[in-house]
C-alpha cells in the first residue's frame, strides 16, 4: 500500500501539512513524521462499499436502509451536545474530493442533519429516576457510570449510529497550571462513555465505531484558508465566533449540510416558509428567523462542524488514495507558482486538442 503513496515523499513540508489537514491526520512534526503519518493512515482499512452492519443485534429491528449514521458529540455535563448526521451507502463510492470552502452541489452525497440537541446530563438523571439516596450533582465514578449508561441506551444508541465521534476533552483550561474540578468531572464522564461503549460492543449489544476527535483539527480544517495565516486559532473566543459564522454561512446559503425532509430550495430570492419551519424544528433558527445565538449554541455548532469535518476527511482520504497528485490543488497543497504552471499545461493541452 505504501508504494501507492510513494509520490508523497517528493512533496514539500507545506504540501504534506495541507494534505494532512484536509484528511484529519496529524499535521505537526518533521517532514519525515508527516510522510510516516500519511503513509500509515491514508490507506483504506476496509472495503468502503461494504457498509456497517446494523448497530443493534439484540431486541431491535434491522434498519430499512444501510445508511451511515454518524453521531458527533461534545461530552459536557451541563452542556452535553450532539448532532445526528446521515449519509447513503453510496457516499464513499465517489472520488470527488471536497474542501472546506467548496459548496457541495451533489445533494445525494451531502450529509443530512437528522437532529441536534443539548442536554444537562445531571438534570436529566434526577435522583427520583435513579437512586433516591443519590444527590444531584454528585461527583463519583458510580454516578457518572449511570449517567453514561442511561444516556447511551436511552438516547443515543436508539438512533442506530454506525460511527460515534467524541470530541477529546482538555485537561487544563487555556493552558493554566491548575486543574479545575469541573474539568475533572468532564474528563471522568468522557472516560465513562468510552468504557460503556466498549462494554456494549463486547456484549454484542451495539456494533459500530468510536472515533476520538482532536478539536484543534476541526479549527484548522474549517478556519484556515479564509484570508489569514491561522494566527486567530490561538484565541478561543475568536475561534468560536468564526465557527459560528461558518455554520451561519452553511445554513444561510445552503451548502455543506442538508436539513431534514429535503433541502427546502426555492426559486424565489427569499427562502420559503417551509424551509424556515424545518430549520426552527431543527433548532437552527429563533422565532424571528435568525440563526440562534447564545445558550451554548456554540456547543451545537461545534458538534455539527466536527461531524461534517470527519465526513470530509473520509472523502479526501479516498480521493488522495485513488487520484494521487491530482488532488493537490484541491486541498491547497499547491503554491501559486505551481498553480500557474498547471494552468498553462491545461491551456496548452486544450489548444492541441483543437
Amino acid at each position: 500500500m505504501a508504494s501507492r503513496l510513494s509520490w508523497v515523499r517528493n512533496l514539500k513540508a507545506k504540501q504534506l501539512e495541507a494534505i494532512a489537514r484536509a484528511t484529519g491526520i496529524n499535521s505537526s512534526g518533521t517532514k519525515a513524521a508527516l510522510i510516516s503519518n500519511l503513509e500509515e493512515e491514508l490507506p483504506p482499512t476496509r472495503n468502503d462499499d461494504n457498509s456497517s452492519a446494523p448497530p443493534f443485534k439484540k431486541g431491535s429491528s434491522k434498519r430499512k436502509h444501510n445508511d451511515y449514521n454518524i453521531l458527533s458529540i461534545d461530552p459536557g455535563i451541563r452542556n452535553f451536545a450532539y448532532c445526528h448526521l446521515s449519509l447513503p451507502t453510496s457516499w464513499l463510492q465517489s472520488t470527488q474530493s471536497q474542501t472546506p470552502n467548496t459548496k457541495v452541489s451533489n445533494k445525494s452525497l451531502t450529509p443530512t442533519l437528522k437532529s441536534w440537541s443539548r442536554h444537562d446530563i445531571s438534570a436529566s438523571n434526577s435522583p427520583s429516576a435513579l437512586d433516591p439516596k443519590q444527590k444531584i450533582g454528585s461527583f463519583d465514578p458510580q454516578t457518572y457510570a449511570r449517567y453514561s449508561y442511561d444516556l447511551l441506551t436511552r438516547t443515543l444508541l436508539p438512533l442506530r449510529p454506525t460511527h460515534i465521534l467524541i470530541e477529546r476533552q482538555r485537561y487544563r483550561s487555556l493552558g493554566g497550571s491548575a486543574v479545575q474540578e469541573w474539568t475533572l468531572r468532564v474528563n471522568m464522564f468522557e472516560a465513562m462513555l468510552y468504557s460503556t461503549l466498549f462494554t456494549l460492543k463486547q456484549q454484542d449489544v451495539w456494533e459500530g465505531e468510536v472515533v476520538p476527535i482532536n478539536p484543534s483539527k476541526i479549527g484548522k480544517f474549517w478556519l484556515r484558508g479564509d484570508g489569514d495565516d491561522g494566527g486567530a486559532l490561538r484565541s478561543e473566543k475568536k475561534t468560536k465566533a468564526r465557527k459560528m459564522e461558518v455554520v451561519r454561512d452553511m445554513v444561510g446559503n445552503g451548502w455543506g449540510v442538508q436539513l431534514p425532509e429535503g433541502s427546502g430550495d426555492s426559486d424565489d430570492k427569499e427562502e420559503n416558509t417551509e424551509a424556515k419551519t424545518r430549520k426552527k424544528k431543527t433548532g437552527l433558527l429563533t422565532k424571528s428567523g435568525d440563526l440562534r445565538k447564545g445558550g451554548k449554541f456554540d456547543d451545537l455548532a461545534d458538534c455539527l462542524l466536527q461531524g461534517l469535518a470527519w465526513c470530509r476527511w473520509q472523502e479526501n482520504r479516498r480521493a488522495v488514495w485513488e487520484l494521487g497528485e491530482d488532488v493537490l490543488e484541491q486541498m491547497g497543497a499547491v503554491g501559486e507558482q505551481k498553480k500557474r504552471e498547471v494552468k498553462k499545461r491545461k491551456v496548452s493541452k486544450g489548444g492541441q486538442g483543437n
Side-chain angles (χ1 to χ4, degrees):
M1 285 189 176
S3 61
R4 189 167 182 174
L5 295 171
S6 57
W7 55 272
V8 302
R9 296 179 174 272
N10 300 323
L11 301 180
K12 296 180 180 179
K14 292 292 184 182
Q15 294 175 310
L16 295 170
E17 290 174 3
I19 294 176
R21 282 195 302 271
T23 52
I25 296 173
N26 188 4
S27 60
S28 61
T30 64
K31 180 177 179 179
L34 290 170
I35 293 173
S36 177
N37 292 340
L38 292 175
E39 290 182 338
E40 180 179 350
E41 298 189 42
L42 278 176
T45 56
R46 65 172 184 170
N47 182 5
D48 292 321
D49 296 336
N50 184 17
S51 62
S52 299
F56 276 98
K57 288 189 174 182
K58 297 178 180 179
S60 65
S61 59
K62 294 184 178 180
R63 290 174 289 165
K64 293 181 180 179
H65 304 286
N66 292 323
D67 293 341
Y68 289 88
N69 281 313
I70 300 160
L71 277 184
S72 175
I73 69 176
D74 181 359
I77 304 298
R78 291 181 178 172
N79 296 295
F80 179 94
Y82 75 89
C83 78
H84 176 201
L85 298 169
S86 178
L87 279 158
T89 53
S90 58
W91 167 43
L92 287 178
Q93 294 174 8
S94 171
T95 57
Q96 181 184 7
S97 175
Q98 304 294 345
T99 57
N101 295 323
T102 299
K103 306 296 189 292
V104 181
S105 58
N106 188 346
K107 290 184 178 178
S108 66
L109 300 179
T110 302
T112 298
L113 178 60
K114 310 293 278 189
S115 63
W116 67 355
S117 183
R118 184 173 61 87
H119 297 270
D120 183 340
I121 301 302
S122 58
S124 60
N125 291 273
S126 62
S128 59
L130 301 176
D131 183 355
K133 298 180 180 180
Q134 176 186 313
K135 297 180 180 180
I136 295 179
S138 297
F139 176 39
D140 62 84
Q142 184 176 7
T143 299
Y144 278 44
R146 182 70 66 89
Y147 286 175
S148 173
Y149 180 81
D150 287 345
L151 175 71
L152 287 168
T153 57
R154 295 178 182 179
T155 303
L156 300 183
L157 293 188
L159 298 175
R160 293 174 169 80
T162 56
H163 298 79
I164 297 180
L165 319 180
I166 304 178
E167 180 187 274
R168 292 295 309 273
Q169 299 301 294
R170 58 175 179 256
Y171 293 94
R172 289 185 172 88
S173 297
L174 302 176
S177 58
V179 179
Q180 304 297 324
E181 178 184 335
W182 201 257
T183 302
L184 291 175
R185 290 173 177 251
V186 175
N187 291 157
M188 178 184 290
F189 183 56
E190 177 188 16
M192 291 295 180
L193 289 173
Y194 279 99
S195 60
T196 304
L197 286 168
F198 178 82
T199 301
L200 294 175
K201 285 190 66 173
Q202 293 298 109
Q203 294 179 341
D204 290 333
V205 175
W206 172 73
E207 182 176 313
E209 184 178 352
V210 181
V211 184
I213 302 289
N214 185 336
S216 66
K217 293 182 180 180
I218 307 302
K220 290 178 180 179
F221 181 79
W222 290 109
L223 304 183
R224 281 192 84 100
D226 58 358
D228 62 44
D229 60 358
L233 294 176
R234 301 187 189 97
S235 170
E236 183 176 1
K237 187 174 181 179
K238 288 183 178 180
T239 300
K240 286 182 177 294
R242 291 169 65 198
K243 285 181 178 180
M244 296 280 285
E245 288 302 318
V246 173
V247 174
R248 290 191 182 96
D249 186 47
M250 283 183 176
V251 175
N253 296 308
W255 66 276
V257 64
Q258 293 189 80
L259 297 182
E261 302 174 9
S263 62
D265 287 343
S266 173
D267 294 333
D268 299 330
K269 292 183 179 180
E270 295 184 0
E271 187 177 39
N272 58 33
T273 305
E274 183 182 357
K276 287 188 177 181
T277 300
R278 280 196 295 273
K279 291 178 182 178
K280 289 177 183 178
K281 289 181 178 179
T282 315
L284 291 170
L285 298 182
T286 62
K287 292 182 178 180
S288 62
D290 297 323
L291 192 68
R292 190 177 301 278
K293 298 180 181 179
K296 299 301 290 180
F297 179 73
D298 57 317
D299 289 335
L300 293 172
D302 284 344
C303 288
L304 178 61
L305 292 181
Q306 175 177 271
L308 294 176
W310 183 83
C311 293
R312 296 285 184 86
W313 293 343
Q314 311 317 307
E315 294 168 359
N316 290 342
R317 289 186 185 197
R318 182 168 182 126
V320 171
W321 178 251
E322 294 186 354
L323 303 180
E325 294 180 81
D326 292 340
V327 302
L328 292 180
E329 186 173 352
Q330 288 178 283
M331 296 183 179
V334 178
E336 291 301 320
Q337 179 63 31
K338 186 68 175 178
K339 288 181 181 178
R340 288 193 289 269
E341 293 175 1
V342 172
K343 186 175 181 179
K344 286 181 180 179
R345 286 200 298 269
K346 289 182 178 179
V347 172
S348 176
K349 289 181 180 180
Q352 293 175 0
N354 295 331

